[in-house]
Amino acid sequence: VAPPAVKKRVLIVDDDAEIVEAVQFALQTKGYEVLVARDGTEGLIAAERDNPDLVILDMMMPKRSGFLVLEKLRVTRPVPVRVIMITANEGKLHKDYAVELGVDDYIRKPFPMDKLVESVQRLLS
């Protein structure tokens, strides 16, 4: 008998409660364990403590921007965690910088939820 599949853990780091709730619901429906942090500092603590398989990271947040969180995740993790950055920012420079830091996907808000779910499934498959 095969052991039960271990749920993949996804950490959402976003200060927008509506987005967090929507993403959390969509991912739980697909069988993911979802962890939530409301700002960048909390996000880093959660990433260290809970060792998620993937982080969905908002760019603009109080205390620590998504960029600062991403930079820190990239230097503190021996095996880089998968990161999807979501942002309302249109700038190409921001996207280029995120890519330079090694972001796995970059999705602009507002986004169709299925696009985000597909990205999560692709990165965790």
Side-chain angles (χ1 to χ4, degrees):
V1 179
V6 176
K7 282 187 174 186
K8 295 276 189 181
R9 305 172 96 165
V10 178
L11 171 63
I12 304 169
V13 187
D14 199 325
D15 58 321
D16 183 324
E18 281 179 31
I19 288 179
V20 168
E21 274 177 38
V23 172
Q24 189 172 16
F25 178 78
L27 293 177
Q28 282 171 339
T29 307
K30 297 286 183 197
Y32 294 102
E33 182 183 338
V34 180
L35 313 160
V36 175
R38 302 286 178 185
D39 63 53
T41 302
E42 220 180 276
L44 278 174
I45 292 167
E48 289 293 305
R49 183 187 60 218
D50 302 319
N51 198 19
D53 298 291
L54 183 142
V55 178
I56 295 173
L57 187 56
D58 184 27
M59 186 190 295
M60 306 298 277
M61 287 181 294
K63 295 188 185 163
R64 234 177 243 240
S65 76
F67 283 132
L68 291 172
V69 174
L70 182 59
E71 283 173 4
K72 193 103 168 102
L73 285 176
R74 288 298 181 242
V75 293
T76 57
R77 302 285 300 248
V79 176
V81 64
R82 297 285 194 177
V83 178
I84 298 173
M85 188 167 263
I86 54 176
T87 178
N89 194 302
E90 288 298 316
K92 182 175 170 358
L93 280 174
H94 286 102
K95 179 172 186 177
D96 291 347
Y97 187 53
V99 168
E100 198 178 302
L101 289 173
V103 78
D104 294 286
D105 202 354
Y106 187 90
I107 299 175
R108 289 205 168 88
K109 296 178 188 174
F111 50 83
M113 193 55 70
D114 57 349
K115 180 178 179 183
L116 181 64
V117 170
E118 275 167 29
S119 180
V120 169
Q121 290 174 320
R122 179 172 45 83
L123 291 171
L124 290 180
S125 62

